Amino acid sequence: MPELPEVETVRRGLVATVLGRRIERVEVGRERTVRRTSPEAVIHGLTGTRLVGVDRRGKYLLGRLDSAEQVMIHLRMSGQLLLAPAGSPRPPHSHVVAHLAPGAGRPAEELRFVDPRTFGEVVVFDPLHAAELVPELARLGPDPLADDLTRAALARLLRGRRRQLKALLLDQAVLAGIGNIYADEILHAARLSPRRSSESLTGQQITRLHASLLGVLSAAVDAGGSTLRDAQYVDLMGAGGSFQEQHRVVDRAGAACLRCGRGRIRREVVAGRSTYWCPRCQR
DNA sequence: AAGCACACCTGCTAGC
DNA sequence: TGCTAGCAGGTGTGCT
């Protein structure tokens, strides 16, 4: 259930450990993970290639291969990418396994796409056909960190829309990368209600929302993302992040607000998602 | 246009 | 202790 900071942490891990290493062999154990193409397309597309770059757009990982093709990986709710010694025991639900030659100072290893709920995907595609195979990439809004979202750009995104702020932040076509956890943390930091309508913000509130967006997301990247109780999210090496220690509202229903001290954190469904917020200081 | 319900899956846990 | 309903960090579709 990774969001921008978790995906960015995985991206950095791939750049540090996998770049330039030849993919010698690929196994696909579950067709659903490669449903957009086929096991053969993913196996043939990856075998013999090397990753020459890894980019991120919102929650999408985009690997560039030396074949000029690209690999798109989305972890959705329960996906993990794990790097482990070749031949070591595999966790359940290891649906795609890429065998990596030694390199980057590392021995032969397996890069495993593990995904119990199988919502995640691995797609190998020719960039010339991106529009047909991965059309959602073209629909993504700006990535707040990768695209250096300015206050003016955010103001433009808010203007002309009448949406609950929570729904707006979750909409990947508006801003790419924010999910349920960070939407709540950002809105608390900005002292704005998740139900507040996007077109009603004052200039000062837009400034606050902008600062909170960048502040929360970049602090979360610095902390290696958030790993909640279920330990669903871990990085390439299987280590959790630590930003959950800085959460102010998520998972704190009934507790006193850490900012105003007097409100009680409420949990209710907003925009169809479980939402934590302080009704006293978030307006 | 915006909001909602539902679908896709599996696993964990809170509550009885 | 054992069962079950409910819930989960995402996204797409289809309906009002």
Side-chain angles (χ1 to χ4, degrees):
Chain A
M1 312 171 236
E3 306 178 31
L4 186 156
E6 291 76 31
V7 178
E8 175 62 16
T9 303
V10 171
R11 186 194 72 79
R12 292 179 182 186
L14 289 170
V15 168
T17 60
V18 176
L19 229 51
R21 294 170 67 184
R22 184 180 143 88
I23 300 171
E24 296 184 313
R25 192 159 64 86
V26 175
E27 299 171 64
V28 174
R30 179 113 181 204
E31 270 191 55
R32 183 169 151 76
T33 300
V34 297
R35 58 193 174 277
R36 208 176 296 207
T37 57
S38 67
E40 296 72 34
V42 169
I43 291 168
H44 294 149
L46 293 178
T47 303
T49 68
R50 299 162 201 267
L51 266 182
V52 295
V54 187
D55 303 315
R56 183 186 57 72
R57 294 282 309 158
K59 302 168 195 168
Y60 294 78
L61 278 173
L62 285 170
R64 281 175 277 125
L65 303 167
D66 62 0
S67 63
E69 291 202 312
Q70 296 191 14
V71 54
M72 183 274 264
I73 299 174
H74 200 301
L75 304 172
R76 292 285 180 106
M77 293 290 270
S78 63
Q80 300 176 331
L81 276 176
L82 296 171
L83 191 62
S88 60
R90 291 178 189 169
H93 310 292
S94 296
H95 303 316
V96 178
V97 177
H99 296 259
L100 302 171
R106 307 187 62 85
E109 287 173 307
E110 296 176 13
L111 182 61
R112 300 158 176 169
F113 182 85
V114 177
D115 186 17
R117 293 177 72 179
T118 70
F119 294 161
E121 288 192 77
V122 177
V123 184
V124 179
F125 65 98
D126 183 329
L128 294 173
H129 300 126
E132 302 96 80
L133 213 45
V134 285
E136 66 265 50
L137 293 178
R139 292 195 289 262
L140 291 176
D143 183 299
L145 295 190
D147 296 329
D148 283 324
L149 181 76
T150 62
R151 184 202 174 281
L154 177 63
R156 278 195 296 276
L157 293 173
L158 294 164
R159 193 184 308 142
R161 286 184 174 86
R162 251 185 138 81
R163 307 272 304 271
Q164 296 184 136
L165 284 179
K166 171 96 181 204
L168 190 94
L169 292 182
L170 289 177
D171 187 341
Q172 304 299 296
V174 175
L175 284 171
I178 298 165
N180 202 36
I181 299 285
Y182 293 102
D184 285 0
E185 292 297 328
I186 288 165
L187 289 171
H188 181 263
R191 282 183 281 141
L192 291 166
S193 162
R195 295 194 203 278
R196 182 71 179 272
S197 183
S198 56
E199 94 292 348
S200 73
L201 299 198
T202 65
Q204 195 178 41
Q205 289 170 331
I206 293 173
T207 300
R208 240 160 48 203
L209 181 58
H210 177 249
S212 301
L213 256 162
L214 299 185
V216 167
L217 292 174
S218 56
V221 169
D222 290 346
S226 300
T227 297
L228 303 188
R229 267 193 304 273
D230 57 12
Q232 277 263 21
Y233 166 71
V234 291
D235 68 13
L236 267 193
M237 311 312 245
S242 64
F243 191 71
Q244 67 282 1
E245 295 162 16
Q246 297 178 57
H247 288 179
R248 315 279 287 175
V249 283
V250 167
D251 257 359
R252 297 195 65 251
C257 175
L258 290 172
R259 183 187 26 246
C260 73
R262 291 200 266 164
R264 286 203 171 280
I265 303 305
R266 184 180 293 174
R267 175 187 173 281
E268 52 192 66
V269 174
V270 180
R273 311 295 300 279
S274 174
T275 298
Y276 297 89
W277 62 297
C278 172
R280 189 170 181 279
C281 65
Q282 289 179 251
R283 305 289 173 160

